[in-house]
Amino acid sequence: MTDDEAFTVTPYEVEGDVDYEKLLDEFGADRLTDEQISAFPKPTHPLVRRKVFYAERDVDRFLEAVNTENPHSLVTGRGPSGLMHIGHVFPFYFAKYIQKQTNALVYIPISDDEKYLLKDLPLEKIDGHTRENLRDILAVGFDPDRTRIIVDTADADVVYPLATAFAKEVTQATVDATYGAPPNIGISFYPAVQAVHLLLPQLVDGRHPTLVPIAVDQDPHIRVCRDIASKQRYNVNKPGALLSKFLPSLGGPGKMSSSDDAPSIFLSDDRETVFEKIRQFGFSGGQSSVEAHREQGGDPTIDVSYQFLAYFFEESDDRLDQLAREYRDGSLLSGELKDIAATQIADFLEEHQRRRAEVGSLANELMPYRLTENERSRARKRVGYPTDAVVEW
């Protein structure tokens, strides 16, 4: 929270109109530079070149590994508290893009235990959300030979031993100072579990640069993990981070959320629903009447439909610039801009839903993405645990 308490950004709460510049000062992260952007694989992903990913930690080490074709990995995960919306999915499509361009390892942790600790939901409900979210993640189309999906409760044989080791490195004072007073002791322990998520690629495959493309509210997890990684006994690099701005709510400034009253566009929405939500709820940067808009023009920087296109759904920079120019001079109306955004979002969702419908039995589909027994043993061994999954007494 800033000095004037205008907004709050933590892993568990985002409120107010976020000032991203002030947040950089508060978190101590660095702005992503033009030189760093130019070092990303070509063609540079829109989320990078348009600075939706706007801040970083140790991204140079990752980019050097990419450009010298040395081992590197990405970690980006999901907390299954409900249906996934478009704000949840763009980090996964970004990770897939980097994997395709560079042959990166991608690790996807699913923090079902954290959501149970945070949300007033029964375990059965969390399990249902986990299964549905996994289908959406599988629909993104990761390379199973270069991707591992870890579900905390299902992979407790590797997650818990590592988290126990890392928990000894973190004091309660650090947790309180970083996150505020935790609501229960489970959340006090959870930074150690998050450290497992972020360090697991190195614990399995050896020391190498890891990048975490993640929304800026999750940066506290990165900071705690980097402290743990600095302990020489683990022989790992501090994970780097690529921090993104929030995809705005349909209602205007703020984070799109599936757990509050702000409208969201879910990955399961059909074309008609997408158009209805954007037309009815989409915050407009235009004027109050067609005549006024033709005369005065609109402001694309606050228009949600334009922001959706700029964040993720319009590939062409020239087309995006054209839309902004026409919106400012009044030749493009708010309703027309809404329909352009709705069309592109609906097209994207229909293709995603087509691939999702092709996902078969979840147990069978997940098998190629699970950690192997050898990988589990290697990870446990790195922190001094027996390599066997079950110890014979």
Side-chain angles (χ1 to χ4, degrees):
M1 184 176 293
T2 60
D3 293 339
D4 59 7
E5 298 189 351
F7 64 88
T8 300
V9 175
T10 76
Y12 309 127
E13 181 183 18
V14 177
E15 288 187 354
D17 190 0
V18 177
D19 185 324
Y20 290 103
E21 295 299 324
K22 289 183 179 180
L23 203 56
L24 282 186
D25 293 337
E26 182 177 335
F27 284 0
D30 296 316
R31 174 165 288 282
L32 191 67
T33 67
D34 291 340
E35 182 179 2
Q36 289 168 330
I37 290 172
S38 69
F40 273 83
K42 304 297 186 296
T44 311
H45 196 280
L47 289 169
V48 174
R49 69 175 187 261
R50 294 174 188 161
K51 299 185 178 180
V52 177
F53 285 115
Y54 82 110
E56 56 88 17
R57 295 182 185 276
D58 262 355
V59 74
D60 292 326
R61 184 181 297 181
F62 176 84
L63 292 173
E64 181 181 3
V66 166
N67 291 306
T68 57
E69 298 185 357
N70 282 314
H72 57 280
S73 61
L74 294 98
V75 179
T76 192
R78 169 72 182 137
S81 59
L83 296 174
M84 290 179 68
H85 59 59
I86 57 175
H88 294 138
V89 81
F90 73 73
F92 293 107
Y93 276 95
F94 174 76
K96 177 197 171 183
Y97 174 85
I98 296 295
Q99 182 180 69
K100 184 176 180 180
Q101 296 295 102
T102 74
N103 204 32
L105 285 169
V106 174
Y107 273 60
I108 302 173
I110 308 297
S111 51
D112 55 341
D113 50 349
E114 180 195 32
K115 290 308 175 184
Y116 175 69
L117 294 167
L118 282 171
K119 303 292 184 178
D120 187 20
L121 294 172
L123 286 168
E124 182 180 11
K125 194 77 170 179
I126 296 290
D127 181 69
H129 292 322
T130 299
R131 293 173 183 276
E132 292 304 311
N133 290 181
L134 284 169
R135 289 186 172 278
D136 279 311
I137 291 168
L138 290 169
V140 173
F142 290 100
D143 177 358
D145 292 333
R146 306 288 295 170
T147 307
R148 292 294 177 264
I149 298 174
I150 300 92
V151 180
D152 284 349
T153 56
D155 293 298
D157 64 304
V158 66
V159 171
Y160 184 74
L162 300 181
T164 302
F166 295 154
K168 290 188 73 172
E169 313 288 358
V170 184
T171 67
Q172 188 63 48
T174 295
V175 173
D176 293 347
T178 305
Y179 300 94
N184 53 59
I185 60 173
I187 292 302
S188 289
F189 181 78
Y190 206 74
V193 178
Q194 285 284 12
V196 175
H197 296 164
L198 305 184
L199 296 178
L200 193 54
Q202 297 185 72
L203 297 174
V204 170
D205 287 297
R207 186 169 188 160
H208 64 260
T210 296
L211 187 69
V212 186
I214 202 165
V216 67
D217 60 329
Q218 301 300 303
D219 183 64
H221 295 315
I222 306 291
R223 300 201 303 270
V224 172
C225 182
R226 284 169 62 84
D227 287 343
I228 294 171
S230 67
K231 312 297 182 182
Q232 293 186 0
R233 57 182 163 274
Y234 298 122
N235 191 26
V236 292
N237 288 328
K238 294 179 181 180
L242 198 58
L243 304 174
S244 80
K245 299 175 182 177
F246 301 121
L247 186 70
S249 163
L250 275 170
K255 175 184 178 184
M256 180 174 281
S257 175
S258 56
S259 58
D260 59 28
D261 294 332
S264 298
I265 298 175
F266 294 103
L267 300 186
S268 56
D269 284 346
D270 60 22
R271 182 173 292 267
E272 181 180 354
T273 302
V274 172
F275 272 82
E276 180 181 339
K277 285 183 176 180
I278 289 181
R279 286 171 175 170
Q280 182 175 352
F281 298 108
F283 185 84
S284 171
Q287 306 302 325
S288 57
S289 68
V290 171
E291 293 76 14
H293 187 88
R294 294 290 191 199
E295 181 179 345
Q296 302 172 37
D299 182 358
T301 66
I302 63 171
D303 189 283
V304 165
S305 295
Y306 180 84
Q307 293 305 310
F308 283 178
L309 292 168
Y311 270 53
F312 193 69
F313 294 102
E314 176 53 62
E315 171 65 30
S316 169
D317 291 342
D318 290 341
R319 173 61 170 159
L320 197 64
D321 290 344
Q322 177 189 358
L323 293 174
R325 186 170 59 252
E326 292 177 354
Y327 198 58
R328 289 191 178 100
D329 68 25
S331 60
L332 179 66
L333 299 176
S334 294
E336 294 170 333
L337 182 57
K338 285 185 176 184
D339 283 355
I340 291 170
T343 297
Q344 294 195 212
I345 294 170
D347 288 347
F348 168 83
L349 290 181
E350 285 182 349
E351 180 60 21
H352 177 87
Q353 291 161 10
R354 180 192 65 77
R355 292 193 303 272
R356 191 185 194 277
E358 294 174 352
V359 175
S361 162
L362 197 56
N364 292 336
E365 297 282 357
L366 276 176
M367 189 59 64
Y369 297 91
R370 299 290 303 275
L371 289 167
T372 67
E373 284 305 318
N374 186 40
E375 289 168 341
R376 293 167 191 268
S377 295
R378 292 206 303 267
R380 287 192 295 265
K381 186 176 181 180
R382 289 288 296 274
V383 298
Y385 272 79
T387 56
D388 294 333
V390 178
V391 178
E392 296 290 344
W393 293 100

